């Protein structure tokens, strides 16, 4: 572990805020909610009793406030694991690096991070409108492969079982997925008994990687059927989304606790979608606010 972080590695803005998020260390709460849509930040914050600060930079919108006595920061990440890489690294830096000395703080500060998102359901148990908790995530994105310790935190047995099931073993053109667990304590606290729990596939795109075919044919037209029939013990693949693997993986490597919960807005099995979901997702937002 480095004991000094050079200006080229940790970029700090002139006002003392971190490079992309434009958030200062004192503005970050220990409880963090991540959303993809910048517009959803204000939906979450509308439930706060008080607002402490607000910042805006590109797709990264941030509000810190208080909900029922709990100090919470809500941040929009935009879409994809690449943006999760930016957000999780920068909030960890805000929590655990002294911006004056550029050295690690003596006392580690652990963050609880819950991502509220939308997803595509892959099973009869995930109809439109249902809430899904990502107990495990299979990352098609490859992000965690760039970090030391990847093998220490991933589930190698499920990785091998999934590769074999998909017929990707030895195929150099196939993805190299990693499997990562969400934090058990957060799963129990957030999902309880009223959310579907399962394996989530975090994809590197919305179309081809999720088996959608428009004008370019798919490399494997049977990909989704294979995914839908994968089983590991009592778990099956419940949904597609695009961020849960990077969030769970980076958080585990850094010592934070993280989980992703999503509302199903499309069911790929029966080929139905609901584009008017923005009002109904507020129910999931309130559940997370009460339980975080």
């Amino acid at each position: 572990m480095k004991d000094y972080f050079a200006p080229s590695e940790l970029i700090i803005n002139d006002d003392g805020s971190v490079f992309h998020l434009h958030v200062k260390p004192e503005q970050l709460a220990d409880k963090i909610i991540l959303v993809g849509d910048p517009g959803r930040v204000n939906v979450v914050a509308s439930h706060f009793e008080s607002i402490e600060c607000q910042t805006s930079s590109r797709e990264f919108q941030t509000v810190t406030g208080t909900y029922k006595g709990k100090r919470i920061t809500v941040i929009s990440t935009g879409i994809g694991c690449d943006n999760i890489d930016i957000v999780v690294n920068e909030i960890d830096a805000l929590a655990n690096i002294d911006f004056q000395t550029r050295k690690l703080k003596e006392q580690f500060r652990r963050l609880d991070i819950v991502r509220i998102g939308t997803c595509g359901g892959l099973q009869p148990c995930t109809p439109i409108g249902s809430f899904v908790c990502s107990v495990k995530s299979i990352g098609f994105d490859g992000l965690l492969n760039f970090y030391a310790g990847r093998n220490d935190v991933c589930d190698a047995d499920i990785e091998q079982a999934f590769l074999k099931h998909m017929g990707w073993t030895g195929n150099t053109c196939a993805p190299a997925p990693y499997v990562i667990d969400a934090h058990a304590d957060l799963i129990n606290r957030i999902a309880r008994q009223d959310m579907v729990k399962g394996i989530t596939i975090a994809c590197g795109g919305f179309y081809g990687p999720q088996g959608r075919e428009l004008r370019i044919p798919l490399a494997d037209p049977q990909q989704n059927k294979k995914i839908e029939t994968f089983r590991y013990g009592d778990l099956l693949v419940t949904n597609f989304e695009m961020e849960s693997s990077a969030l769970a993986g980076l958080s585990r490597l850094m010592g934070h606790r993280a989980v992703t919960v999503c509302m199903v807005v499309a069911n790929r099995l029966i080929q139905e979608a609901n584009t008017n979901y923005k009002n109904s997702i507020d129910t999931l937002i309130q559940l997370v606010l009460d339980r975080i």
Side-chain angles (χ1 to χ4, degrees):
M1 178 71 71
K2 291 183 176 180
D3 58 5
Y4 176 80
F5 302 90
S8 61
E9 309 304 295
L10 173 61
I11 304 175
I12 301 172
N13 299 315
D14 290 342
D15 65 353
S17 63
V18 73
F19 185 54
H20 292 93
L21 299 184
H22 283 247
V23 174
K24 298 176 182 179
E26 65 272 15
Q27 296 175 326
L28 186 76
D30 290 342
K31 298 179 184 292
I32 298 170
I33 293 174
L34 301 183
V35 294
D37 183 358
R40 201 171 295 149
V41 170
N42 287 334
V43 176
V44 177
S46 69
H47 297 283
F48 290 175
E49 288 109 23
S50 61
I51 301 294
E52 179 183 319
C53 63
Q54 301 181 64
T55 66
S56 175
S57 176
R58 302 186 188 184
E59 63 266 55
F60 307 114
Q61 312 293 317
T62 303
V63 175
T64 294
T66 302
Y67 176 82
K68 294 184 178 179
K70 296 179 286 191
R71 187 172 183 246
I72 299 172
T73 296
V74 55
I75 305 171
S76 62
T77 66
I79 297 174
C81 285
D82 50 346
N83 278 9
I84 293 294
D85 183 61
I86 291 172
V87 172
V88 175
N89 272 285
E90 292 198 356
I91 62 175
D92 176 73
L94 288 166
N96 290 301
I97 297 176
D98 188 316
F99 277 27
Q100 299 299 317
T101 65
R102 294 184 168 274
K103 294 182 178 181
L104 281 177
K105 295 179 179 177
E106 292 185 5
Q107 186 70 35
F108 172 72
R109 180 181 170 195
R110 188 190 69 193
L111 305 174
D112 281 355
I113 311 167
V114 180
R115 191 180 91 76
I116 303 173
T118 57
C119 68
L122 292 170
Q123 303 293 341
C125 65
T126 55
I128 291 172
S130 57
F131 300 154
V132 180
C133 175
S134 304
V135 174
K136 292 180 182 287
S137 293
I138 301 179
F140 283 9
D141 54 282
L143 178 73
L144 218 64
N145 298 330
F146 289 89
Y147 289 93
R150 173 252 198 250
N151 290 340
D152 297 328
V153 299
C154 290
D155 192 323
D157 291 339
I158 297 185
E159 287 177 13
Q160 293 306 310
F162 185 77
L163 284 170
K164 183 178 180 181
H165 179 82
M166 297 296 292
W168 289 349
T169 304
N171 183 351
T172 57
C173 293
Y178 59 94
V179 180
I180 187 78
D181 290 347
H183 198 280
D185 289 349
L186 275 189
I187 293 170
N188 293 333
R189 190 199 310 171
I190 303 298
R192 296 188 184 177
Q193 302 304 315
D194 50 11
M195 296 186 190
V196 178
K197 301 181 183 73
I199 301 172
T200 294
I201 301 243
C203 296
F206 184 77
Y207 290 95
Q210 296 188 29
R212 289 185 173 91
E213 183 176 332
L214 298 183
R215 291 206 315 113
I216 305 174
L218 298 173
D220 181 0
Q222 300 302 310
Q223 172 185 298
N224 280 17
K225 290 189 180 298
K226 294 176 187 176
I227 289 171
E228 290 161 10
T229 58
F230 179 71
R231 299 288 187 277
Y232 194 87
D234 296 332
L235 292 175
L236 68 162
V237 179
T238 49
N239 58 319
F240 277 142
E241 52 86 77
M242 298 176 64
E243 293 87 11
S244 62
S245 57
L247 174 60
L250 291 173
S251 297
R252 187 167 288 272
L253 286 173
M254 294 173 180
H256 303 302
R257 308 196 302 184
V259 69
T260 291
V261 293
C262 291
M263 186 179 79
V264 177
V265 299
N267 188 287
R268 306 297 301 283
L269 193 66
I270 58 175
Q271 298 184 324
E272 290 184 353
N274 173 24
T275 57
N276 298 312
Y277 62 85
K278 293 193 175 181
N279 290 332
S280 53
I281 200 172
D282 195 51
T283 302
L284 180 57
I285 289 170
Q286 290 185 66
L287 280 178
V288 172
L289 284 169
D290 284 335
R291 295 174 181 181
I292 192 171

